[in-house]
């Protein structure tokens, strides 16, 4: 199936392109390179062995998207393209609401015009806020978002749900990611944060590589075994494979109007300190870190129950935290080699 992958040169998008190709599909990337660069395309070619079709387009450009759909006969769409920096979204809410929601609305409109009926949406566990009970299931009530970024995910899920309810001949799945980390084992693609990373693992690997000041652990007075936050850290390759399973399930779905939501996590929670210790052991590297104040807006603890994805998608995370941190470090070392 020819599949449009919006944001396909981004972190999760690029890894999904690899897995789509491996599963026999033909991914087509649309990306405006706001959060990525063309080097990713070279990395993809080194992994896949051929060029991936790439269009430098903005998903909010309706006429450009219409021209694309005229040219390429897509069997489905996986929509990653969105702004995703939590902190930036607080400073520039309108930029986030306009981009993240307009891109979805335009995609759904153009898909309908061209009869493309399979749609996978990149959502996030951020929609759960701080859950009252753990692990979170898909029925755990969503909480008011703690950032405009998180709110765009809640709103986009609702747009898709309400649109499918109007029976437009759309089959859609929202995948709620937990914390994607790691990199492709080939070290040809991985996370490319712009500026100072706000996320834990890219900051950690840059600090370990001597590119950043020591890592600051944001808070050690939480109600957890070692006082640091708990997250469900999932290898980006496992996450990518969930997207292949989701688009394939939609293609087989006989109900012309279908919507469902799946948690995509390992089902295990690890504290920040456990992650740091695992990183040091996996890579035989000593990390220089300190503890500082809590980061405002951080959820204390969250991890997934992914039974539904296991049972319905036929997907289960296979890689360990050690695998993720070994691949993350290998990628950081590869980046250093490229810059030398
Ligand atoms: C993880 C833990 C921090 C940096 C965010 C988004 C979520 C998704 C993933 C897009 C927290 C701690 C972090 C540091 C630290 N993004 N930390 N020192 O906040 O769980 O999730 O990114 O979809 O939607 O909300 O991820 O990696 O920023 O933080 O101690 O320098 O690491 O306090 O407990 P988070 P994160």
């Amino acid at each position: 199936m020819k599949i449009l992958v919006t944001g396909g040169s981004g972190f999760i998008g690029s890894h999904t392109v690899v897995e789509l190709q491996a599963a026999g599909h033909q991914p087509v990337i649309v990306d405006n390179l706001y959060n990525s660069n063309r080097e990713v395309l070279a990395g993809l070619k080194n992994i896949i062995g051929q060029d991936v079709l790439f269009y430098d387009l903005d998903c909010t450009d309706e006429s450009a998207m219409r021209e694309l759909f005229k040219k390429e006969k897509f069997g489905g769409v996986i929509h990653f393209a969105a702004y995703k920096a939590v902190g930036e979204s607080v400073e520039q809410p309108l930029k986030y609401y306009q981009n993240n929601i307009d891109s979805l609305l335009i995609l759904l409109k153009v898909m309908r015009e061209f009869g493309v009926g399979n749609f996978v949406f990149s959502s996030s566990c951020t929609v759960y806020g701080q859950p009252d009970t753990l692990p979170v299931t898909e029925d755990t009530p969503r909480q008011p978002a703690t950032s405009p970024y998180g709110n765009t995910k809640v709103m986009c899920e609702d747009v898709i749900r309400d649109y499918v309810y109007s029976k437009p001949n759309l089959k859609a799945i929202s995948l709620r990611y937990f914390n994607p980390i790691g990199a492709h084992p080939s070290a040809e693609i991985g996370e490319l944060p712009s500026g100072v990373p706000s996320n834990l693992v890219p900051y950690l690997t840059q600090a370990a590589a001597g590119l950043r000041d020591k890592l600051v652990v944001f808070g050690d007075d939480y109600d957890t075994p070692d006082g640091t936050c708990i997250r469900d850290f999932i290898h980006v390759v496992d996450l990518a494979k969930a997207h292949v399973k989701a688009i394939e399930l939609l293609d087989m779905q006989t109900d012309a109007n279908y919507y469902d939501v799946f948690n995509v996590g390992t089902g295990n929670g690890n504290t920040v300190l456990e992650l740091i210790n695992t990183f040091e052991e996996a890579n035989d590297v000593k990390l220089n870190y300190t503890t500082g104040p809590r980061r405002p807006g951080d959820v204390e603890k969250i991890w997934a129950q992914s039974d539904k994805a296991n049972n319905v998608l036929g997907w289960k995370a296979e890689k360990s935290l050690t695998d993720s941190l070994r691949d993350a470090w290998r990628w950081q070392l590869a980046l250093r080699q490229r810059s030398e």
Side-chain angles (χ1 to χ4, degrees):
M1 191 170 20
K2 182 180 281 191
I3 296 165
L4 168 60
V5 184
T6 73
S9 62
F11 177 38
I12 305 163
S14 57
H15 287 80
T16 301
V17 163
V18 171
E19 300 308 326
L20 285 169
Q21 186 83 25
H25 299 291
Q26 188 194 346
V28 176
I29 296 175
V30 158
D31 204 304
N32 65 1
L33 302 176
Y34 174 84
N35 234 345
S36 60
N37 63 55
R38 287 179 182 273
E39 273 180 46
V40 176
L41 303 175
L44 286 171
K45 183 171 183 178
N46 290 339
I47 297 170
I48 294 172
Q50 64 186 56
D51 286 317
V52 178
L53 205 45
F54 169 72
Y55 290 89
D56 180 353
L57 297 176
D58 189 315
C59 293
T60 60
D61 181 341
E62 185 171 335
S63 58
M65 295 308 286
R66 189 165 286 115
E67 286 309 305
L68 174 71
F69 275 71
K70 270 186 199 150
K71 187 175 175 199
E72 304 286 355
K73 299 287 169 271
F74 296 119
V77 176
I78 302 179
H79 181 40
F80 292 102
Y83 296 149
K84 64 156 199 155
V86 173
E88 185 187 48
S89 77
V90 174
E91 291 152 18
Q92 304 181 59
L94 293 187
K95 172 181 172 181
Y96 271 68
Y97 284 114
Q98 203 228 323
N99 182 70
N100 291 6
I101 295 169
D102 273 3
S103 54
L104 174 69
L105 296 175
I106 285 164
L107 260 178
L108 293 176
K109 180 179 176 185
V110 175
M111 283 176 70
R112 183 164 190 179
E113 285 175 20
F114 289 87
V116 181
N118 298 316
F119 184 69
V120 176
F121 174 67
S122 163
S123 190
S124 169
C125 64
T126 204
V127 304
Y128 295 115
Q130 176 56 68
D132 299 331
T133 54
L134 287 165
V136 287
T137 72
E138 290 80 359
D139 299 324
T140 298
R142 295 180 307 174
Q143 306 238 15
T146 53
S147 71
Y149 158 75
N151 207 25
T152 66
K153 291 301 180 186
V154 172
M155 293 166 77
C156 286
E157 284 194 4
D158 290 351
V159 163
I160 299 163
R161 180 203 59 207
D162 294 349
Y163 183 50
V164 169
Y165 188 73
S166 69
K167 299 199 179 301
N169 288 337
L170 181 72
K171 299 176 281 182
I173 282 175
S174 290
L175 295 180
R176 291 175 180 164
Y177 308 161
F178 282 71
N179 285 62
I181 62 170
H184 194 269
S186 66
E188 289 289 347
I189 56 174
E191 200 161 2
L192 284 169
S194 46
V196 179
S198 61
N199 291 139
L200 174 64
V201 172
Y203 191 97
L204 183 155
T205 58
Q206 289 186 14
L211 301 173
R212 297 281 172 212
D213 297 340
K214 68 172 75 170
L215 171 71
V216 176
V217 174
F218 297 145
D220 64 351
D221 58 349
Y222 286 100
D223 178 19
T224 64
D226 60 28
T228 63
C229 291
I230 295 175
R231 292 290 184 277
D232 185 329
F233 296 103
I234 177 170
H235 196 296
V236 63
V237 170
D238 278 333
L239 178 57
K241 288 179 177 175
H243 291 78
V244 179
K245 290 288 189 182
I247 199 81
E248 290 177 347
L249 178 107
L250 290 176
D251 193 40
M252 291 182 290
Q253 177 56 247
T254 51
D255 181 349
N257 292 282
Y258 165 95
Y259 178 61
D260 212 345
V261 176
F262 294 91
N263 285 340
V264 186
T266 65
N268 304 310
N270 286 106
T271 68
V272 171
L273 280 181
E274 285 169 350
L275 183 140
I276 290 169
N277 296 334
T278 305
F279 175 81
E280 291 182 321
E281 283 161 28
N283 299 301
D284 194 19
V285 170
K286 191 81 189 94
L287 183 72
N288 189 7
Y289 66 91
T290 183
T291 300
R294 293 183 176 193
R295 177 171 68 176
D298 267 344
V299 160
E300 178 176 74
K301 47 192 165 192
I302 185 168
W303 65 93
Q305 195 215 75
S306 290
D307 293 358
K308 188 176 170 188
N310 305 164
N311 300 331
V312 178
L313 292 184
W315 170 90
K316 189 167 178 58
E318 295 162 355
K319 292 177 180 280
S320 67
L321 185 61
T322 295
D323 294 331
S324 300
L325 295 169
R326 201 167 278 153
D327 291 338
W329 184 233
R330 187 182 301 119
W331 166 242
Q332 187 65 59
L333 296 177
L335 286 175
R336 180 160 68 181
Q337 256 185 338
R338 289 185 193 180
S339 63
E340 282 165 356

